[in-house]
Structures are given as structure tokens and as C-alpha cells.
Amino acid sequence: MQKGMHMPSWYKTYHPYVSPMDPCPPITTKRYSTPPNLYLGFQPPGLEQFTPSAALKAGTLWKYFYDPYYSTREMKKGVRE
Amino acid sequence: MWFYEKKLQYPVKVSTCNPMLAKFLIEQYGGADGELAAALRYLNQRYSIPDKVVGLLTDIGTEEFAHLEMIATMVYKLTKDATPEQMKAAGLGDHYANHDNALFYHDASGVPWTAAYIQAKGDPIADLYEDIAAEEKARATYQWLIDLSDDPDLNDGLRYLREREVIHSQRFREAVEILKEERDSKKIF
Ligand SMILES: [Fe+2]
């Protein structure tokens, strides 16, 4: 992340309509992914990097593009690095 | 020409014996938005695209084969010791009837892979936009696979693969920027 750069959120939510006639308990919040590749255009020079070993694990050298996905089940269990 | 390195791009670990996960994972093996489709799509498109982005298609197309190999390893680990009864219980009875425990290029519903999944339009922008869409669809598939799986080690590998799709999409988007750039105009960051 460069200084002064705005950091967007990689996930957004919306609330679908819930009908009084729905047969199943409603899911009131839906989440969707808006990954980093949507925001930057051509990658500018000088972005912050991971160390080589952290980059191999993350799947990217660039901190800006690191966007790990966790299921809601994992998030409830608190699975995060 | 290719060189083969006898190791995986990222270590594959599976900690729970749950062959049903193999049934889901095979979507990324022989499905429409899977790694085989990605590799073959990019490596074929590169012959009829401007020189500036040929290298990118070679790099990403090659990497997709490394991903294919990771998915194959996951599926293999989950099914190699499964009995016919376990295969049946995992929803893989129809797979077993045709293939025993062998891997095959079909999707999670058993639909065999077809070249109709991929395109080479010869129009650089059309092809790159397809590639961007393919990466976003593969990213989404990995999300749903992570949602379906409760194996922490498997999910670690799937998260890595999803991250690579994010990067591939970024690079294809940059390729579009390169091709649409006006001559003599300066790049402004
Ligand atoms: Fe990819």
C-alpha cells in the first residue's frame, strides 16, 4: 500500500428481500467479493511487497493484491492467519 | 518448450478423509471454468494476439497446468484409498462405474470436458475479456469450494489458488490497458 492510497474493501454485502411467505429461514445478508484487481488499473510502481517466503505462501508478492477468502463457517470459528 | 519441475507450485495437504470433497473439487479439474480449460484457452490464444501480450498468455497458461496438478493431487489424495462403497457413499458411484478410482476430465456433475468451453476469437480484446471473465469465474468456484469444505489444510491450498486467479485477472486487465494505449501518449500513474 502506497501512502495516501485509498484502500477499498474486498467484500460487499446486500440484503435481499425477505417475503413473509418464504419457506425457509431467510439469509438476510449476502456477501460478494470485489477483489483488488477491480480497483487499481495498471499496477503502479513501488507497491509494498511481502518478504519472499511470505509471498510464496500468500500467492502474491504484492500486499495490495492479497485477498484471502474465508467461508462464513471458517469466520465463525475464527480461522485466520 | 517446457521444463518440468517435479514438485507442486504450492504444497497440497488434505487432513480429513472425505472423498465427497473430491466430487466437488473435480469441477476445477474438468469443468467449464476449471484449470484445464484455462490452460488450453490461454496457450492457444497466444498465436493470434499482439506480441506485447503473448508472453503473459504463455506464463499464465503454463501456471494453470501447475494448478491443474494441484487439483489432481487433492482429488487423488481424497480418493486413492476409497473403496467402491465409499465412492458410492460420496456420490462417486457413477464415476467409479466408468473410471474406477482414476481421475477424469469432467465437472462436479460428471459432464465431460469439451473444447466448446473455450474460445479463440482472433480479436485481442474479445479474447482478453473472455480471459478476465474466466479468471473471475474460477475465483468464484474456489469460493464455493471453500464454502463446501471444512478441511483447513485443503482450504489453505484452495485460498492460494483463488489468490492466483485474482492476480491473473489483474494481469489480463493490464494487458487490455497495454493494447488500448494510444500511440505517443505518456503513461501517467
Ligand atoms: Fe488462472
Side-chain angles (χ1 to χ4, degrees), chain B residues 35 38 42 60 64 67 135 164-165 168:
Chain B
E35 302 293 354
Y42 306 150
I60 297 182
E64 304 296 5
H67 296 171
E135 294 297 336
R164 294 309 300 154
E165 311 299 8
H168 291 170

Side-chain angles (χ1 to χ4, degrees), chain B residues 28 33-35 38-39 42 60-61 63-64 67 131 134-136 138-139 142 161-169 172:
Chain B
Q28 270 309 86
D33 308 316
E35 302 293 354
Y42 306 150
I60 297 182
E63 187 182 346
E64 304 296 5
H67 296 171
D131 301 347
E135 294 297 336
E136 301 302 344
R139 169 184 59 74
Y142 281 120
L161 289 166
R162 178 184 173 280
E163 177 65 33
R164 294 309 300 154
E165 311 299 8
V166 172
I167 299 298
H168 291 170
S169 173
F172 284 134

Side-chain angles (χ1 to χ4, degrees), chain A residues 11 33 35-38 40-45 56-60 62 65-71 73-74, chain B residues 10 136 139 143-144 146-150 155-156 159-160 162-164 166-167 169-171 173-174 177-178 189:
Chain A
Y11 295 89
S33 157
N37 60 45
L38 294 176
L40 207 51
F42 204 98
Q43 181 179 338
L56 284 173
K57 186 146 195 314
T60 176
W62 311 100
F65 291 117
Y66 183 55
D67 163 31
Y69 177 90
Y70 295 90
S71 68
R73 209 158 26 145
E74 284 174 313
Chain B
Y10 186 89
E136 301 302 344
R139 169 184 59 74
Q143 290 164 199
W144 315 151
I146 290 167
D147 287 349
L148 284 166
S149 152
D150 46 13
N155 283 4
D156 182 59
R159 257 188 287 280
Y160 174 88
R162 178 184 173 280
E163 177 65 33
R164 294 309 300 154
V166 172
I167 299 298
S169 173
Q170 170 70 22
R171 299 307 171 219
R173 287 163 196 269
E174 288 170 353
E177 294 304 313
I178 288 169
F189 290 116

Side-chain angles (χ1 to χ4, degrees), chain B residues 67-120:
Chain B
H67 296 171
L68 187 71
E69 195 179 38
M70 284 177 62
I71 297 289
T73 305
M74 291 171 179
V75 171
Y76 173 71
K77 277 175 185 276
L78 284 161
T79 52
K80 73 184 174 76
D81 299 313
T83 62
E85 287 69 34
Q86 286 172 317
M87 292 289 276
K88 217 197 299 181
L92 287 164
D94 40 10
H95 178 98
Y96 187 86
N98 194 3
H99 305 290
D100 187 287
N101 290 32
L103 281 76
F104 194 68
Y105 294 115
H106 59 64
D107 71 10
S109 322
V111 179
W113 191 87
T114 162
Y117 289 154
I118 64 175
Q119 182 57 288

